[in-house]
Amino acid sequence: AQRVTQPEKLLSVFKGAPVELKCNYSYSGSPELFWYVQYSRQRLQLLLRHISRESIKGFTADLNKGETSFHLKKPFAQEEDSAMYYCALRPGGRFGAGTRLTVKP
Amino acid sequence: DVKVTQSSRYLVKRTGEKVFLECVQDMDHENMFWYRQDPGLGLRLIYFSYDVKMKEKGDIPEGYSVSREKKERFSLILESASTNQTSMYLCASSLVGEGNEQFFGPGTRLTVL
């Protein structure tokens, strides 16, 4: 069965502090992992995907197949990063429960 | 620019009514998805479709059905709405193939009284 677990529902950090949003998955095949973000009153949108190995808005995420994890990291959080973040697994289109990140001034 | 549209932003229905939620995408995507989004539960997959007239159950299909008669349109049907189906419903579409992202609609907030 496919499953995505985001253990933290809420995460609060101060501006300039590092942030890590955790994501673990279970899938027997070859996984594709994504992070999506939803800013206030906006639709859900892609932040980054593991296959691209890219950094978007200062965020990075590395797929660790041994630990079945895809944690999202940013070394210096900004107030505009405050949003809801979802980890997603393909194929199958499963999402985690989401983490609400608040970056305080 | 991919556009996924949903027929209503807000909908209020009564218990027992049959409810239709429509989703249309304009980028010739093969895959289409229906989710419900609830606080603390995230996005839960109701149904998805990988081609016209093809569908597969997601994790919470009970009480729902879907229809995909045309490639661009994916409908979610609540056969007999119940109060526990009050939720935000999100539609998404994507191309097949590795690494292809899902594009989301704005959502329909359904309230069942």
Side-chain angles (χ1 to χ4, degrees):
Chain A
Q2 295 183 21
R3 183 169 292 174
V4 180
T5 304
Q6 293 179 249
E8 306 131 332
K9 288 194 169 30
L10 301 171
L11 187 61
S12 183
V13 301
F14 284 102
K15 178 182 173 181
V19 63
E20 181 179 47
L21 288 79
K22 291 184 167 53
C23 171
N24 289 90
Y25 67 91
S26 63
Y27 180 59
S28 56
S30 183
E32 298 173 47
L33 275 297
F34 302 77
W35 277 99
Y36 286 81
V37 60
Q38 189 169 31
Y39 301 103
S40 179
R41 289 186 292 278
Q42 294 186 27
R43 63 179 73 187
L44 208 60
Q45 59 187 285
L46 178 71
L47 180 62
L48 54 79
R49 68 196 94 190
H50 92 268
I51 196 172
S52 301
R53 303 184 66 83
E54 58 203 342
S55 172
I56 302 292
K57 298 184 179 182
F59 285 98
T60 59
D62 290 316
L63 178 60
N64 185 324
K65 291 187 178 181
E67 295 183 359
T68 60
S69 69
F70 189 58
H71 302 327
L72 184 68
K73 300 176 184 179
K74 185 169 183 176
F76 307 102
Q78 303 299 313
E79 289 180 67
E80 55 266 30
D81 296 328
S82 295
M84 196 74 183
Y85 291 81
Y86 293 95
C87 183
L89 172 66
R90 296 280 299 277
R94 263 68 178 188
F95 281 71
T99 298
R100 181 170 296 283
L101 173 65
T102 301
V103 181
K104 296 179 284 188
Chain B
D1 197 24
V2 177
K3 204 163 261 182
V4 181
T5 57
Q6 295 183 228
S7 50
S8 306
R9 291 288 276 129
Y10 299 94
L11 210 52
V12 180
K13 296 292 182 180
R14 297 210 173 272
T15 302
E17 282 192 78
K18 191 169 186 176
V19 181
F20 293 86
L21 302 182
E22 303 282 336
C23 175
V24 177
Q25 50 93 6
D26 66 358
M27 284 300 290
D28 204 35
H29 285 174
E30 296 89 354
N31 295 333
M32 295 189 76
F33 306 79
W34 274 107
Y35 296 90
R36 59 179 285 176
Q37 183 182 32
D38 298 288
L41 298 177
L43 274 71
R44 291 181 291 166
L45 182 65
I46 305 172
Y47 269 97
F48 72 95
S49 170
Y50 49 90
D51 202 350
V52 175
K53 297 190 188 295
M54 306 304 286
K55 61 186 179 185
E56 286 203 18
K57 293 180 180 179
D59 297 321
I60 52 164
E62 298 78 18
Y64 303 95
S65 62
V66 290
S67 173
R68 192 156 179 212
E69 297 295 319
K70 292 185 177 181
K71 192 175 185 179
E72 67 271 19
R73 187 180 298 270
F74 192 34
S75 303
L76 180 69
I77 303 147
L78 286 67
E79 298 291 342
S80 177
S82 63
T83 55
N84 62 13
Q85 292 179 308
T86 291
S87 187
M88 173 68 86
Y89 289 87
L90 298 181
C91 175
S93 71
S94 76
L95 290 168
V96 295
E98 192 175 14
N100 284 306
E101 70 182 276
Q102 289 171 284
F103 291 87
F104 282 84
T108 295
R109 182 161 296 281
L110 172 67
T111 301
V112 183
L113 302 175

